[in-house]
Structures are given as C-alpha cells and as structure tokens.
Amino acid sequence: MKNLLKPLLSTVLVLFSFGIFSQTSGTLTFTATTINQFGTYQPKNIMAIWVTNASGTFIKTLKKMAGQRVQYLYQWRANSASNVTDAITGSTLPNHQTHTVSWNGKNVSQALVADGDYKVWIEFTDGDYQGAYTSFTWTKGSNAQSLAPTDSKLSGISLIWTPTPSSIAENGLPLNLSVFPNPFKNQLNFVVTNSNDRIFVDLYDITGKKVASLDNKAATITWDGTSANGERLRNGVYLYNITMGDKKYSGRVILSN
C-alpha cells in the first residue's frame, strides 16, 4: 500500500505546488511612476495597469486612464478586450505621475483565483504610437512578498503582496475546523465549531476531477468515500476544497479500506 501511495502523493504535491487547490485571499499593492517619453503630447499621457496569470491570460484591469487616444494602448486592448470591470478609469492624464493600485486576488467575476505566479502589467504612451509596456511577476500565496524591481521607463516600482491574516492551525485549517480520521476507511468527518457559517466541501481525485460535493446541515459533514453517483471509490489520495463564509481551505486525505 505504501509503495502504491508514493506516486499518488507526489502527484498531489505537484498539484498543490501549482496552486490548483489553494486560494489565498489577500491584497497586492503596486506602485510605479511613469517617465516622460518625449512624445507629441508630453507630458500628457494615457496608461493602463492590469493583471494576468503567468501564461498571460487576462485576469483583471486595475486602472485605465485614456480618452480618445485609447486605441494606442495596444497591449492592454489586445489582452483585456477593453474590460474595465471594477477598474479605476478616467480621461487622458495631464502629466506623468505616480500610480498606486491594489488587487484583491479576484477576477472580473469576483471569484478568488488560484494561488501561483501572476503578472502585473503597465503600459503608457505620450504619443500616437506603441508606448512603453512591461510586466512584473510575483507569487500569490500564503507568504507575504515585497519586491522593488527596476525598469528604465519607470521609477519607484514596488509590489507588495499581503495575505489576509487568520488564525491557522499547523495543518493549514482554522482552529475551529477539523478533518478526521486520515487515512479513513468508511467515514471522513468535516467538523466545524463556534461558527454560524455554512460550509461546503468539494472532493477531487488526483487528476482534478470532482467526485463529490457536500454541504452542512449540522456541525458535522461526513463522507463515506463514494462518488456523487453513490459508487464506492478506489483506495488512494483525494483532495478537498472547503468553503466557509468567504474563506477557502484545501487539503488531502487517504481512502484506505
């Protein structure tokens, strides 16, 4: 059994390392000052700041300042399809200035995105052409980060990621939430105490396929190791995502008959 579980556990660790089953809430604060590029309209300029994942997939616009010349924000328009949901917006800026924006780790649908590497992009121009643009990468997760990268077209750059503080036990769960026994045979218990929040549990196999969903009508949710269709699942490692109020927690358990 131990030899069988080794490759399964390795797969689980890889999934967690990519942030697939972890969603840490927090705040990214990004600051940068644009520098005169000596374009036709300088010091007037247009600009945009947005977030993508590590692969460049658009997540959310944080700020867009542009009037009639918005078409010259080529990179932002191509990546975002001009989506400005919940973004700071305005007209052309009268001068180059310091921009400070924050991101709450959520996409345009207000869903908390998975932990992992993300990029914050900034693009600006003071002429009728493709202006300066660049991106900076940081890691969204349970560890705080403070970065001060440099770029020849910007000054005063900083990225600060601050996870939401919470009371977390050593197993990664809040102190009023427990999952046991692990490994389990016939019944796995999800127990919450001292909380009025309803909890929901989604369970996945190691490939990421959802196998069951549970929610509480009492202080304890139990899972008997069966799928949503009532079929007994194979022995092995399973992953859980727990939603309790506006918080999410993840972990892994072993089903062993």
Side-chain angles (χ1 to χ4, degrees):
M1 180 67 182
K2 290 183 178 180
N3 291 334
L4 175 64
L5 289 177
K6 283 183 179 179
L8 298 179
L9 286 170
S10 296
T11 303
V12 170
L13 291 174
V14 170
L15 290 171
F16 270 83
S17 69
F18 280 95
I20 295 174
F21 294 100
S22 182
Q23 297 168 296
T24 303
S25 61
T27 302
L28 171 75
T29 302
F30 172 70
T31 299
T33 302
T34 59
I35 296 175
N36 195 331
Q37 299 298 295
F38 304 101
T40 304
Y41 303 103
Q42 61 89 17
K44 293 181 179 180
N45 65 95
I46 58 176
M47 59 82 63
I49 302 172
W50 69 102
V51 176
T52 72
N53 64 16
S55 301
T57 301
F58 175 75
I59 302 295
K60 194 172 188 179
T61 299
L62 304 182
K63 189 173 187 178
K64 189 271 292 182
M65 306 297 290
Q68 295 179 352
R69 297 170 50 246
V70 67
Q71 67 268 29
Y72 297 109
L73 293 174
Y74 293 107
Q75 302 302 316
W76 172 74
R77 292 177 66 238
N79 189 249
S80 70
S82 299
N83 188 314
V84 292
T85 301
D86 298 327
I88 299 169
T89 58
S91 58
T92 298
L93 295 167
N95 48 55
H96 289 280
Q97 55 192 255
T98 298
H99 301 276
T100 298
V101 295
S102 61
W103 179 53
N104 61 3
K106 297 180 179 181
N107 60 22
V108 293
S109 300
Q110 287 299 306
L112 189 63
V113 300
D115 289 354
D117 288 345
Y118 287 85
K119 294 181 178 182
V120 59
W121 293 79
I122 181 169
E123 178 181 20
F124 64 96
T125 182
D126 48 22
D128 291 338
Y129 48 74
Q130 173 66 73
Y133 66 94
T134 189
S135 67
F136 306 98
T137 302
W138 88 101
T139 302
K140 175 184 176 294
S142 58
N143 295 322
Q145 273 196 305
S146 180
L147 305 174
T150 58
D151 187 278
S152 62
K153 299 178 180 64
L154 299 165
S155 66
I157 308 167
S158 71
L159 294 92
I160 301 173
W161 167 250
T162 306
T164 300
S166 59
S167 180
I168 302 295
E170 290 184 0
N171 62 0
L173 298 176
L175 298 176
N176 66 331
L177 179 62
S178 56
V179 180
F180 64 93
N182 187 17
F184 76 101
K185 182 177 180 180
N186 296 316
Q187 181 172 297
L188 178 67
N189 303 293
F190 298 84
V191 180
V192 61
T193 59
N194 301 321
S195 176
N196 293 323
D197 288 327
R198 185 170 185 172
I199 67 172
F200 302 86
V201 180
D202 292 318
L203 293 131
Y204 305 80
D205 64 21
I206 60 169
T207 69
K209 177 183 177 182
K210 185 185 289 188
V211 296
S213 292
L214 314 167
D215 66 303
N216 74 323
K217 296 180 180 178
T220 300
I221 296 178
T222 61
W223 183 46
D224 59 3
T226 61
S227 70
N229 296 325
E231 298 174 347
R232 182 70 179 179
L233 296 171
R234 293 183 178 182
N235 290 349
V237 177
Y238 292 86
L239 312 172
Y240 62 80
N241 272 353
I242 300 173
T243 301
M244 186 169 67
D246 61 353
K247 302 292 192 303
K248 292 182 181 291
Y249 307 97
S250 303
R252 60 186 185 273
V253 292
I254 298 172
L255 172 59
S256 175
N257 287 327

